[in-house]
Amino acid sequence: MTPTTRRILGACPHDCPDTCSFVTQVVDGVAVKVQGNPAHPQTGGVLCTKVSRYTERTYHPQRVLTPLRRIGPKGHGRFEPVGWDEALDDIAARLKAIATRDPQAILPYSYAGTMGLVQGESIAARFFHRLGASRLDRTICASAGAAGLEYTLGGKLGMRVEFFAESRLILIWGSNSIGSNLHFWRYAQEAKRQGAKLVCIDPRRTETADKCHDHLAILPGTDAALAYALMHECIAHGWLDHGYIARHTVGWPPLRDRALEWSPERAAALCGIPAEQITRLAQDMGRCFERQEPIAIRLNYGMQRTHGGGNAVRAVACLPAILGAWRHRAGGLLLSNSGAFPVRRDALQRPDLLAQSGVPHPRLINMSTIGDDLLRPASPEFGPRIEALVVYNSNPVAVAPESGKVVAGFARDDLFTVVLEHFLTDTADHADYVLPATTQLEHWDIHASYGHTDVLLNRPAIEPLGQARPNTQIFRELARRLGFDNPCFADDDETLCRQAFPAEVDFDALLRDGFVSLPVPEAPFAEGGFPTPSGKCELFSERLQAMGRDGLPEVLPNHEAIGSDVRYPLAMISPPARHFLNSTFVNVQSLRDVEGEPVLEIHPHDAAARGIADGDRVTVFNDRGCYECVARVGLRARPGVVNGLGIWWRKLGLNGTNVNELTHQRLTDLGRAPTFYDCLVEVRRA
Ligand SMILES: Nc1nc2c(c(=O)[nH]1)N[C@H]1C(S)=C(S)[C@@H](COP(=O)(O)OP(=O)(O)OC[C@H]3O[C@@H](n4cnc5c(=O)[nH]c(N)nc54)[C@H](O)[C@@H]3O)O[C@H]1N2
Ligand SMILES: Nc1nc2c(c(=O)[nH]1)N[C@H]1C(S)=C(S)[C@@H](COP(=O)(O)OP(=O)(O)OC[C@H]3O[C@@H](n4cnc5c(=O)[nH]c(N)nc54)[C@H](O)[C@@H]3O)O[C@H]1N2
Ligand code: SF4
Ligand SMILES: [Mo]
């Protein structure tokens, strides 16, 4: 018999701004290849190395394919297979018993393991709303930057990524685009070929910095000072679009005065770079300004993971307005465009079901402080102790800050933990039940994006492997067992995909092409129209002032500023490793082989001072813990800053730890986000 070959259109589910459209080739029911969709302009037929190995992940011999029940101590990862009915009956009974006392003792924990709107928060959210469980404040990645944008531009909106190809000066600010935003990098390359100048602002000399014309290796958490010094130079030289400032901004006079306090010399001392680098960048901006050429900033989330991260985004977001860069479609700034998507969240998540739960306003638990919160006793301020956790689309034991506390929390014998997963991750190892979830090749989903402005549909390419079930199906069955009879719990996944967007987003086109483009303007703020309360770009924020904060962007020191603790003289950042996606793919052998071992990049001076040679095993430590890894001595690290590339599975690392052993749970100035890159350490040979 000749084999039947089918090609199914899907969407990359990962937490990546590129949201690629992909085509899965299926031969006799087996997915043999996943490739970029050539018809989708943003994908351009190319996937990153990680996802082009998607079949290796899907058919991985260690996929969890049956429900599992724990038979060893928590954290040891010893389980026995059990039937679905037995597992779900027991889970439902345990949750019901807790909910009868207080449903807020139950906490869902999820993030963007899949960015899909359906396998993310649809039936799951309905379930926890109807239950009256504690709500999760989903802050772990982007909420400081989101708040910074919200207070300045009015929302998560910005340039269309494709127009970076026409920019003349591109500031790549806190983003290793080659590693984490490959499809943006294609446009930056195009601009470079056309003669644009590329400048990278990043403490680490990344692969991206290597390919830019200039690299400002600032100290972590000093971005706001740099932004002010650039404003200082624009003011000093008159590179200001007075018409745009007058019509489309509020708060210019006080911002101007504040900026004049930040000479390049003053900022340079704080940022740890020569002042000439700042003046040269300002001159590049001035030259483009005078020639009316577009200046564009690609911000990414890497620069908002320190104490002042939210205000740093505010400061940077002022620059395009004072330069009038928004007038061009190839000018302005892009951090996220997710605000452009008319997602019908209420239809998907049904917060109205809270009314039936008996707990109309459940407490909010910050996912970034899960370590502390799992260890917190009941109290009037906190509410009940957390007695049950249901984890899906996330691996908190590896990714949440201050692992020591997170692990201690997950190891509590009186905590009932259910984990929906593809693999026995560090988190799943602590579960009472692990439930096998389907991957993107096996289920329906629909996707917005934070890097482009197209909606994507993902159709299942193959049948679920083993006994795996979509997240939605698992929560439907739990809902039935808890007696939740609202008809919304019966919506199937294709129906949920259709509910996610209003009718203007053409579902037939999605079924046919796999994507549709939103009708967004080419230059969103060319004529102002900022979605702030004033309708203008808010250089000064009355909303923040009303909350007792500084109305202007603040320059805030790190929680753990260099020099503040003589025992720990080095600042550590922990940006992504290129071949992992957060902690996803660490267990895919071919990708782990490329990354090799957990690495700490260290500058030759800092290494020599400690007798550390390239390739040595080292211990990185502070009061919170010790992390063992391999030193890579070289110029990727600047003096005084070490780079602990993330995020390894603890159990696949060198001594059962990863870099989050060292990070802490203090939060950002805005957005209640974690401050992973605001962390002091010392290093010694192991
Ligand atoms: N390959 C790969 N791609 C990814 C991910 C991954 O893990 N691997 N993660 C995905 C996720 S979840 C996200 S949120 C996105 C975005 O993820 P980001 O966190 O933006 O990741 P990067 O592109 O590595 O950019 C971060 C850069 O910021 C630098 N940096 C650290 N501290 C500072 C600072 O204080 N100031 C400045 N200016 N720079 C700083 C780091 O050295 C790093 O090069 O990427 C996504 N894409
Ligand atoms: N030190 C340090 N820590 C960091 C960061 C850093 O830069 N440095 N980055 C932070 C950032 S930006 C983020 S976004 C977080 C990311 O943290 P997480 O959102 O936890 O991301 P992942 O580590 O990729 O884990 C996602 C898990 O979801 C599972 N999954 C994927 N699809 C499905 C599905 O359909 N169903 C189910 N049930 N499971 C699924 C995957 O198998 C994977 O184990 O980490 C943060 N932690
Ligand atoms: S991880 Fe990013 S670049 Fe890679 S396939 Fe997915 S969306 Fe595209
Ligand atoms: Mo993220």
Side-chain angles (χ1 to χ4, degrees), residues 17-18 42 161 164-165 170-172 175-193 197-200 206-213 298 578:
D18 298 21
Q42 307 291 352
V161 65
F164 276 88
I170 302 179
L171 276 54
I172 301 180
S175 165
N176 179 12
S177 313
I178 294 180
S180 70
N181 193 190
L182 190 63
H183 295 77
F184 155 77
W185 180 247
R186 296 187 322 144
Y187 297 119
Q189 290 276 83
E190 174 61 25
K192 194 177 169 190
R193 279 194 293 274
K197 183 160 183 185
L198 270 50
V199 180
C200 183
T206 59
E207 305 90 309
T208 309
D210 286 341
K211 297 214 161 56
C212 289
H213 299 96
R298 180 62 172 117
R578 181 169 171 184

Side-chain angles (χ1 to χ4, degrees), residues 303-314:
M303 53 83 68
Q304 42 105 67
R305 305 197 200 290
T306 59
H307 175 208
N311 272 287
V313 170
R314 289 182 68 210

Side-chain angles (χ1 to χ4, degrees), residues 5 329 420 462 525 541 604:
T5 300
R329 69 176 188 178
L420 284 61
I462 55 173
F525 307 130
S541 170

Side-chain angles (χ1 to χ4, degrees), residues 455-580:
V455 175
L456 270 68
L457 184 72
N458 182 75
R459 291 187 191 232
I462 55 173
E463 290 297 316
L465 298 192
Q467 298 182 38
R469 292 179 179 175
N471 292 344
T472 43
Q473 183 59 22
I474 296 171
F475 285 107
R476 266 183 215 109
E477 307 223 1
L478 286 173
R480 188 168 59 78
R481 283 173 169 79
L482 282 157
F484 299 164
D485 52 8
N486 188 302
C488 76
F489 286 104
D491 290 343
D492 66 21
D493 286 4
E494 190 186 333
T495 304
L496 292 164
C497 287
R498 288 175 185 272
Q499 289 171 358
F501 288 96
E504 298 86 84
V505 174
D506 183 350
F507 202 80
D508 292 329
L510 280 172
L511 286 168
R512 185 185 63 232
D513 304 328
F515 68 95
V516 292
S517 299
L518 297 175
V520 284
E522 290 194 348
F525 307 130
E527 301 297 332
F530 292 90
T532 52
S534 63
K536 299 184 177 194
C537 177
E538 301 196 341
L539 311 175
F540 182 95
S541 170
E542 287 186 3
R543 284 179 288 172
L544 283 171
Q545 189 188 39
M547 291 156 59
R549 308 286 289 265
D550 193 338
L552 292 171
E554 288 175 89
V555 179
L556 294 167
N558 280 0
H559 289 298
E560 299 196 346
I562 293 181
S564 64
D565 187 336
V566 288
R567 296 171 304 157
Y568 305 118
L570 297 169
M572 185 191 74
I573 57 173
S574 47
R578 181 169 171 184
H579 296 92
F580 301 150

